[in-house]
Amino acid sequence: MEFKIERPQDQKTQELVDLALAARNNSYSPYSKFRVGAAIRTADGKIFQGCNIESCSYAPTICAERVAISNAVATGHKQFDTIAISSDLKEEFITPCGVCRQFMREFSKDLAILMVRPDGTFSRTDLTVLLPGSFGPESLEMPR
């Protein structure tokens, strides 16, 4: 998959990118040393941050995207506008893992995703591209 490189063109995007980059500083990643930060903006404009948190047994490890979304949901927010995800990758763009893509899908079919490099450049995509033909809450609706 090829990604187009962009720079923030407005204050809202710049703020989201900056907060995703800053969230990396709180990463607890003593095993992989792979820091990830995320910032998600709710439909009403509030921003929640998250970072990856590792566990020595690996399975309980949680990604930054899920931490940010969980922080928002824990305070009653369930509609989202955009998520920015950052890492220390300089030449490539970080993409959300499969579990995070499905977790995001729980709340949005077409969530905008900014994949951010350390220099603040990013590539924009959305869930329809990263998770085509997705399974979501409406998939469980039973015909009556």
Side-chain angles (χ1 to χ4, degrees), residues 23-138:
R24 292 175 308 164
N25 295 326
N26 294 325
S27 169
Y28 179 74
S29 48
Y31 309 106
S32 71
K33 310 286 190 256
F34 191 78
R35 301 182 314 151
V36 180
I40 191 162
R41 184 175 35 243
T42 64
D44 63 353
K46 290 185 174 39
I47 297 175
F48 293 86
Q49 291 174 283
C51 62
N52 57 321
I53 304 168
E54 294 181 347
S55 169
C56 63
S57 65
Y58 294 107
T61 295
I62 185 167
C63 301
E65 300 93 309
R66 287 183 282 146
V67 172
I69 293 168
S70 296
N71 283 338
V73 170
T75 60
H77 299 277
K78 295 179 187 79
Q79 295 181 330
F80 303 106
D81 173 68
T82 307
I83 189 167
I85 307 161
S86 67
S87 74
D88 294 323
L89 295 174
K90 292 181 177 139
E91 301 298 320
E92 299 175 39
F93 291 101
I94 185 157
T95 60
C97 74
V99 172
C100 286
R101 293 175 196 200
Q102 186 62 49
F103 197 78
M104 288 180 224
R105 176 60 180 86
E106 183 67 24
F107 302 98
S108 175
K109 284 184 181 182
D110 58 356
L111 181 66
I113 301 168
L114 308 180
M115 300 171 295
V116 183
R117 289 179 178 166
D119 67 1
T121 59
F122 63 89
S123 185
R124 183 185 312 264
T125 191
D126 65 54
L127 273 180
T128 64
V129 174
L130 295 181
L131 195 62
S134 66
F135 180 88
E138 68 282 352

